[in-house]
Amino acid sequence: NEEDIADLLTLFESSSSSTTPPSTQITNLTTILTEPSSRYGPKATTLKERSIYSLARAYCTSNDYTAIPTLLTGETCSPFFANVTKAKCAKVVRAVLEIICSLAPNELEMQEAICNSILEWTEREKRTFLKQRVQAKLAMILFLQSKYSSSLELVNSLLAELKKIDDKQLLVETHLVESKVHHALRNMPKSKAALTASRTAANAIYVAPGLQSTIDEMSGVLHCEEGDYNTAHSYFLEAFEQLDALEGNAEKKKEDSSSSAGASGGKSESKSAEGSSALKCLKYMMLCKILDNLTKALKLSAKGGVGAKSDKSTVDITSIISSKQGVKYAGRDIDAMTAIANAASARSLAQYQSVTSTYSTELQEDLLIKHHLNFLHEQLLESNLIRIIEPYSCVEITHVAELIEMPLATVEKKLSQMILDEKLNGILDQGKGQLIVYEDSEKDLAMEKGLKVIANMDEVVSSLFVRSRALRTMVA
């Protein structure tokens, strides 16, 4: 009887025990998948499907990453794929990819290898739709590896195929990857166009909350790059709430029995991985608050140095970190952003540099935070220089460098940049090593209005000349 799977079930249960070593688990699960009887009834197929998921987890737990690339396309899973439907095959491949990417997120070379292995198999088996799905996953992996040109080339070829068959779901995901790649290359117009295309495709179909949160997050990133921090904060809040809810659901699912967890395949794994995305959105929300408040203050500093004064109420992120969700994600990442907010509030460059060195990992790994922290550093540096220079009409550059506690060459370069950007009215006397500051002269309103009158008169005379020429032509 093909439904008599007691021996296979015994092997699977022994592999599911927490006391069983990973090597024994791998051996037992491989035996289930390669058993000589070739039983593929409903119960046997379900058990073997769960065995593939467990085998992928076992390889990741034992750090045996060399065997993973050939897991799906090798001799272990080939009999299973040969005896199940194409839909079941596609489901298992996608679930295994999600499990591996969740349990080994930093093993990008291994993830690339397994995707390439699956793509070769789909070419041989002529599984076009599965191939396109795996190509989209590979494009994302290449993006995470910073192989932007390879990722963009793959995305462009994939989009050409997807537009022919009008696969809206995959178009949404692929355009989203394209937007991320262009953003990483600092090509904001193309990144915005790709995101618009992704949103357009998403409007025609049902979009899962996880994917919708990714779209909202990318929208917030682009608005943040444009300096619209309030709108960016709103998008990040939408994404954070969705991801936080998904993570809460994933935690509830973990309380279920181990059998139901195994049957769910890769879904529970992928949901748990979204917790880090929720934390990332929370950090982005804090970043927007910091930049928005500081930018408003520094606009005042250009009018007399008011913004250079210390006012701890200017950067208020306590409402974010004291909320229920903020307490839930408390840790070094939140501490890092809070310390940055305190440094920005105090306009202290030394405190800012101390924070960036203390929390270098938390602040430098993310592209958006790293880029805007560099912008924040420049703003704080300019604010401090304006505050130091304000009382003087002529000051030695070495004295400024000593007060701000920075190298002379850095200070001199920044001062020359501020003069060229017309943020500082003065000149550098490099022979004497001095900065000469000029007073801002009031605009001569009479001169401006006189020039406007002359311009208007010129337009009137020109129009009269054209009319007179037309009249002479008519008379003649």
Side-chain angles (χ1 to χ4, degrees):
N1 187 356
E2 64 176 2
E3 291 300 319
D4 183 14
I5 57 168
D7 55 334
L8 301 182
L9 194 58
T10 303
L11 280 173
F12 183 79
E13 288 174 352
S14 65
S15 302
S16 303
S17 174
S18 57
T19 57
T20 308
S23 58
T24 306
Q25 291 180 12
I26 293 171
T27 303
N28 291 344
L29 293 169
T30 304
T31 303
I32 294 173
L33 292 169
T34 57
E35 51 99 15
S37 302
S38 298
R39 286 166 282 183
Y40 287 99
K43 291 182 180 179
T45 301
T46 302
L47 183 65
K48 290 183 178 182
E49 180 185 347
R50 292 169 58 188
S51 299
I52 293 175
Y53 300 147
S54 299
L55 186 57
R57 294 190 188 96
Y59 277 131
C60 291
T61 305
S62 62
N63 297 327
D64 187 6
Y65 299 126
T66 54
I68 292 178
T70 57
L71 169 63
L72 295 174
T73 58
E75 296 179 356
T76 304
C77 295
S78 293
F80 176 82
F81 289 146
N83 287 277
V84 297
T85 62
K86 289 185 177 182
K88 173 73 75 176
C89 175
K91 175 194 170 186
V92 171
V93 169
R94 291 169 59 184
V96 169
L97 278 176
E98 289 298 326
I99 291 171
I100 292 169
C101 292
S102 301
L103 297 180
N106 298 322
E107 298 295 329
L108 297 175
E109 294 290 341
M110 178 270 293
Q111 293 177 24
E112 182 186 0
I114 191 173
C115 285
N116 287 324
S117 176
I118 295 170
L119 287 174
E120 291 176 4
W121 178 78
T122 54
E123 284 282 356
R124 293 195 305 268
E125 299 293 326
K126 297 181 180 180
R127 305 285 180 91
T128 306
F129 295 108
L130 180 58
K131 173 187 172 184
Q132 291 169 348
R133 173 64 61 178
V134 177
Q135 282 179 326
K137 186 70 177 178
L138 179 58
M140 188 62 190
I141 292 170
L142 292 172
F143 162 72
L144 294 174
Q145 288 179 295
S146 299
K147 297 179 180 179
Y148 302 130
S149 57
S150 301
S151 179
L152 197 57
E153 183 180 351
L154 182 58
V155 163
N156 290 334
S157 62
L158 181 58
L159 284 173
E161 297 177 14
L162 293 176
K163 287 175 182 177
K164 293 177 183 178
I165 60 175
D166 199 28
D167 187 342
K168 297 290 187 184
Q169 181 69 30
L170 205 49
L171 273 172
V172 172
E173 298 176 19
T174 309
H175 276 303
L176 200 53
V177 176
E178 182 188 14
S179 179
K180 290 181 177 182
V181 173
H182 283 304
H183 171 255
L185 294 171
R186 312 302 301 168
N187 191 340
M188 297 308 158
K190 286 191 175 182
S191 179
K192 197 170 182 179
L195 182 62
T196 303
S198 179
R199 279 190 172 279
T200 303
N203 288 335
I205 59 170
Y206 167 76
V207 178
L211 182 57
Q212 183 61 51
S213 65
T214 308
I215 295 173
D216 289 337
E217 180 188 330
M218 196 62 209
S219 299
V221 168
L222 293 181
H223 278 91
C224 190
E225 294 288 6
E226 293 174 352
D228 188 358
Y229 301 119
N230 283 327
T231 306
H233 180 272
S234 300
Y235 275 115
F236 289 138
L237 179 60
E238 288 286 336
F240 172 74
E241 288 177 346
Q242 292 183 72
L243 289 168
D244 183 61
L246 286 173
E247 187 189 7
N249 293 336
E251 289 176 355
K252 289 178 182 178
K253 286 183 180 180
K254 285 182 181 179
E255 297 173 0
D256 295 342
S257 62
S258 58
S259 59
S260 62
S264 64
K267 291 184 180 179
S268 62
E269 302 290 344
S270 60
K271 295 274 175 98
S272 64
E274 288 167 351
S276 60
S277 298
L279 176 60
K280 183 169 66 172
C281 287
L282 185 62
K283 289 169 67 177
Y284 287 168
M285 288 162 60
M286 298 172 74
L287 178 69
C288 288
K289 281 287 185 184
I290 294 168
L291 293 172
D292 184 47
N293 287 282
L294 186 66
T295 302
K296 290 175 181 177
L298 291 179
K299 283 180 180 177
L300 295 175
S301 73
K303 303 176 182 178
V306 178
K309 296 179 181 178
S310 176
D311 182 3
K312 293 187 182 295
S313 65
T314 55
V315 182
D316 183 18
I317 59 173
T318 54
S319 60
I320 298 176
I321 59 178
S322 62
S323 64
K324 181 181 177 181
Q325 293 91 342
V327 173
K328 177 181 177 180
Y329 293 98
R332 278 186 62 85
D333 291 278
I334 302 300
D335 292 342
M337 297 306 297
T338 305
I340 286 291
N342 293 335
S345 178
R347 311 288 186 269
S348 173
L349 195 61
Q351 186 179 346
Y352 171 85
Q353 291 173 335
S354 174
V355 171
T356 51
S357 61
T358 304
Y359 298 99
S360 58
T361 304
E362 290 79 10
L363 298 174
Q364 298 298 320
E365 287 185 346
D366 189 276
L367 284 174
L368 183 70
I369 293 177
K370 181 180 179 181
H371 171 71
H372 283 281
L373 285 184
N374 291 335
F375 167 77
L376 180 62
H377 177 267
E378 294 299 313
Q379 294 293 316
L380 288 175
L381 179 56
E382 290 178 7
S383 177
N384 279 268
L385 286 173
I386 289 172
R387 181 173 59 182
I388 292 170
I389 294 165
E390 189 178 9
Y392 301 100
S393 60
C394 182
V395 61
E396 291 186 357
I397 303 174
T398 53
H399 179 61
V400 176
E402 288 173 2
L403 290 176
I404 206 169
E405 298 179 353
M406 292 187 70
L408 177 62
T410 305
V411 173
E412 188 173 344
K413 180 181 179 182
K414 187 61 185 177
L415 287 172
S416 62
Q417 182 182 340
M418 290 174 68
I419 291 170
L420 291 172
D421 293 341
E422 298 182 355
K423 294 179 181 178
L424 186 64
N425 188 13
I427 60 170
L428 286 173
D429 188 343
Q430 291 183 320
K432 296 180 180 179
Q434 295 177 342
L435 170 67
I436 301 171
V437 184
Y438 300 134
E439 291 185 6
D440 292 331
S441 57
E442 295 183 2
K443 293 182 179 180
D444 191 344
L445 297 179
M447 175 66 75
E448 288 186 4
K449 290 181 178 179
L451 291 172
K452 287 182 180 179
V453 170
I454 294 171
N456 291 334
M457 287 296 295
D458 178 61
E459 291 180 5
V460 171
V461 171
S462 298
S463 65
L464 289 173
F465 178 75
V466 171
R467 290 185 180 184
S468 64
R469 186 168 58 183
L471 288 171
R472 286 198 301 270
T473 305
M474 291 174 62
V475 172

